[in-house]
């Protein structure tokens, strides 16, 4: 292990730093085209200058001076400390929590960067990032961080928590999530500094304002969850704004087995065109699969937390394994569709009290139908004007450009929240569970369609049963 110093007035070009070695660029020194790889470190001190550095797997670039036109490859790390300024940086590769990233610490500044698919830009409290593009990459902001005038393009995502941003552009296929304490605003209260052609999700405690939500072939979508705030925005040419009071999105989740013409297949392994077996034995092709994910801290309340239909709760081997669904997901029982929330009995059908993560998979056929999930009769997705909330909604528009923007939802069977069929199903489920039957007091009209399934974490109260 050696340390090489680049002193004032000295220019280093093309150095290779690896295997525990360090290249330290002192004040007044310059390093060009350094290649930093496994175990190597380049450190640019205050007053030092570096350019065209390539940081590959296992390499680290520590910047307290000035660094420009760098490239951070898979597994590389560039950290900008107090007084450091990095510009015109591109970051690419499969970044994970223990591999590579662009990290901006307190007092550090990053601008004119591009973060490609799989890359992560992490801005700590007191750090600043501006004029960058998330081209498939992910932005994580700590409370007290600053990020302004950036673009979230297709595949990119920005997570805003406990800090204030301004002048963001969310393009088609990009997602910006504004969580508790997060504020996204224009440069001034009189201007509309934010542009939405992709998806902006404002969760409880988040604040989003001074924006234009654009329409077009792939319309922008602004979703405001209960407890979230959106203000001072305009909607142009078919942009969509939705106030969400319940999670009413049809879906299944990772690990759920769906019956196909080639046997049971995990839902996350299905693809458009695969043939799903319906309740009457017909093989029908998948038209589209929607996807959406939530961190567990945002999945709270009886209208969101998943419900477990335990193995055998509905009938013999129905379901064969525990089936996790959302509260508004309908099962096909007694010839009608009945939502899971109306079947809870506290023993064989129960609701989780918390989750760590929810991953939704939405299976759409050409028309609404009953399919077979874990051996039980369950529904497919039907578009009740909710497609726009999916993170990959733009893919549907690309596949089916002539599809009507809005059409009436057509259900394959009556959807009931109360009545004789609902009580007959509840009575039979109670008998199978060996508990007393308690008639439902539900007298509300049917709720909107939702089908979710979920794989719980170890912290969940109820755990999914796996085949031995």
């Amino acid at each position: 292990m050696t340390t090489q110093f680049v002193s004032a007035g000295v220019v280093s070009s093309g150095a290779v730093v690896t295997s525990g070695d360090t290249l330290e660029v002192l004040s007044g020194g310059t390093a060009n085209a350094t290649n930093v790889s496994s175990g190597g470190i380049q450190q640019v001190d205050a007053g030092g200058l570096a350019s065209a550095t390539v940081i590959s797997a296992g390499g680290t670039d520590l910047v307290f001076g000035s660094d420009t036109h760098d490239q951070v490859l898979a597994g590389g790390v560039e950290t900008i400390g107090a007084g450091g300024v990095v510009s015109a940086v591109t970051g690419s590769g499969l970044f994970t929590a223990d591999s590579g990233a662009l990290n901006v610490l307190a007092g550090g500044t990053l601008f004119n960067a591009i973060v490609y698919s799989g890359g992560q830009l992490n801005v700590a409290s007191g750090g600043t990032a501006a004029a960058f593009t998330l081209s498939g990459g992910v932005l994580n902001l700590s409370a007290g961080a600053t990020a302004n005038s950036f673009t979230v393009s297709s595949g990119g995502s920005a997570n805003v928590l406990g800090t204030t941003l301004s002048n963001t552009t969310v393009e088609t296929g990009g997602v910006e999530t504004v969580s508790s304490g997060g504020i996204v605003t224009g440069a001034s209260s009189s201007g509309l500094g934010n542009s939405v052609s992709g998806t902006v999700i404002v969760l409880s405690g988040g604040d989003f304002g001074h924006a234009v939500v654009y329409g077009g072939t792939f319309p922008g979508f602004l979703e405001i969850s209960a407890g979230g705030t959106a203000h001072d925005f305009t909607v142009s040419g078919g942009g969509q704004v939705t106030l969400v009071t319940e999670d009413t999105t049809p879906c299944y989740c990772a690990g759920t087995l769906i019956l196909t013409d080639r046997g049971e297949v995990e839902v996350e392994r299905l693809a458009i065109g695969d043939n799903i077996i319906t309740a009457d034995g017909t093989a029908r092709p998948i038209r589209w699969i929607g996807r959406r994910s939530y961190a567990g801290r945002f999945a709270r309340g009886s209208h969101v937390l998943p419900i477990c239909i335990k193995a055998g709760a509905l009938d013999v081997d129905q379901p064969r394994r525990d089936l996790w669904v959302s509260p508004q997901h309908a099962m096909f029982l007694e010839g009608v569709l009945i939502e899971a929330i109306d079947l809870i009995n506290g023993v064989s059908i129960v609701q989780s009290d918390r989750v760590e993560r929810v991953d939704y998979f939405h299976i759409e056929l050409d028309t609404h139908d009953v399919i077979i999930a874990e051996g039980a009769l369950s529904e497919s997705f039907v578009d009740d004007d909710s497609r726009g909330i999916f993170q990959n909604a733009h893919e549907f528009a690309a596949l089916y450009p002539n599809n009507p923007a809005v059409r009436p939802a057509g259900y394959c069977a009556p959807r009931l929240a109360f009545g004789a069929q609902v009580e007959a199903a509840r009575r039979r489920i109670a008998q199978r569970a060996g508990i007393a039957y308690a008639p439902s007091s539900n007298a509300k009209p049917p709720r909107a369609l939702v089908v979710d399934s979920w794989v719980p974490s170890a912290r969940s109260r109820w755990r999914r049963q796996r085949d031995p």
Side-chain angles (χ1 to χ4, degrees):
M1 297 184 181
T2 60
T3 298
Q4 179 180 348
F5 296 97
V6 181
S7 303
V10 177
V11 177
S12 168
S13 296
V16 176
V17 185
T18 187
S19 301
D21 292 340
T22 298
L23 178 69
E24 185 171 352
V25 184
L26 305 177
S27 180
T30 300
N32 297 322
T34 303
N35 192 318
V36 187
S37 60
S38 182
I41 298 173
Q42 175 177 269
Q43 178 172 315
V44 184
D45 293 343
L49 174 64
S51 66
T53 304
V54 177
I55 306 104
S56 54
T60 301
D61 189 22
L62 303 175
V63 183
F64 302 95
S66 179
D67 208 338
T68 185
H69 293 93
D70 293 351
Q71 187 174 18
V72 185
L73 302 178
V77 176
E78 183 158 60
T79 298
I80 308 167
V85 177
V86 173
S87 63
V89 177
T90 59
S92 65
L94 298 175
F95 294 134
T96 64
D98 58 355
S99 58
L102 298 172
N103 301 314
V104 185
L105 305 182
T109 301
L110 171 73
F111 62 94
N112 291 334
I114 302 174
V115 185
Y116 291 110
S117 180
Q120 286 195 4
L121 170 56
N122 305 308
V123 186
S125 178
T128 299
F132 58 89
T133 298
L134 301 172
S135 183
V138 176
L139 169 65
N140 296 309
L141 293 166
S142 299
T146 299
N148 298 313
S149 304
F150 63 87
T151 298
V152 186
S153 60
S154 182
S157 64
N159 303 309
V160 185
L161 176 66
T163 193
T164 299
L165 312 184
S166 64
N167 300 332
T168 67
T169 298
V170 183
E171 297 179 343
T172 299
V175 179
E176 183 173 75
T177 302
V178 187
S179 304
S180 180
I183 300 174
V184 179
T185 184
S188 67
S189 60
S190 61
L192 297 174
N194 298 297
S195 171
V196 182
S197 297
T199 299
V200 172
I201 302 170
V202 185
L203 300 173
S204 179
D207 185 295
F208 182 83
H210 308 113
V212 180
V213 183
Y214 291 98
T217 304
F218 308 108
F221 187 83
L222 172 59
E223 175 189 309
I224 310 152
S225 297
T229 300
H231 55 88
D232 299 297
F233 62 85
T234 62
V235 179
S236 173
Q240 302 177 36
V241 177
T242 297
L243 177 63
V244 178
T245 57
E246 288 189 313
D247 184 347
T248 56
T249 309
C251 68
Y252 292 92
C253 90
T256 300
L257 295 177
I258 305 296
L259 185 61
T260 74
D261 62 354
R262 52 192 172 94
E264 290 185 314
V265 178
E266 292 178 337
V267 66
E268 66 270 25
R269 299 183 182 277
L270 294 173
I272 293 173
D274 285 349
N275 287 315
I276 300 297
I277 303 300
T278 62
D280 64 3
T282 302
R284 300 188 59 190
I286 296 176
R287 187 177 190 223
W288 182 68
I289 302 174
R291 295 175 175 83
R292 192 175 185 203
S293 299
Y294 296 92
R297 65 183 182 275
F298 305 129
R300 297 176 180 175
S302 61
H303 62 285
V304 174
L305 287 167
I307 291 172
C308 176
I309 302 175
K310 291 189 172 184
L314 306 178
D315 208 335
V316 177
D317 289 333
Q318 293 188 26
R320 283 195 299 275
R321 306 188 307 172
D322 288 1
L323 174 62
W324 290 86
V325 300
S326 75
Q328 279 71 46
H329 166 62
M331 305 300 294
F332 186 71
L333 302 167
E334 305 295 332
V336 299
L337 295 167
I338 305 174
E339 296 175 2
I341 196 168
D342 296 320
L343 299 173
I344 293 174
N345 59 22
V347 176
S348 62
I349 301 181
V350 296
Q351 188 165 33
S352 178
D353 53 8
R354 59 187 165 189
V355 299
E356 288 186 351
R357 179 182 172 89
V358 181
D359 294 304
Y360 298 103
F361 293 81
H362 316 262
I363 301 173
E364 182 179 22
L365 308 179
D366 187 56
T367 58
H368 191 228
D369 210 335
V370 176
I371 63 178
I372 303 170
E374 302 290 359
L377 300 182
S378 179
E379 66 180 346
S380 66
F381 167 62
V382 61
D383 184 14
D384 56 354
D385 198 23
S386 61
R387 192 186 308 279
I389 67 174
F390 306 150
Q391 290 174 337
N392 64 329
H394 63 286
E395 295 175 2
F396 181 89
L399 288 168
Y400 307 104
N402 297 321
N403 191 74
V406 179
R407 60 182 180 182
Y411 298 103
C412 66
R415 191 181 192 87
L416 303 180
F418 57 94
Q421 294 98 324
V422 175
E423 297 311 317
R426 287 173 53 84
R427 182 183 296 107
R428 180 160 53 87
I429 292 168
Q431 290 172 347
R432 290 190 58 80
I435 60 176
Y437 162 66
S440 172
S441 60
N442 189 354
K444 296 183 291 184
R447 285 174 289 272
L449 169 70
V450 172
V451 184
D452 303 339
S453 291
W454 169 83
V455 178
S457 69
R459 294 184 182 179
S460 169
R461 180 180 177 185
W462 305 100
R463 301 190 64 182
R464 184 182 184 88
Q465 293 181 348
R466 296 282 185 183
D467 292 335

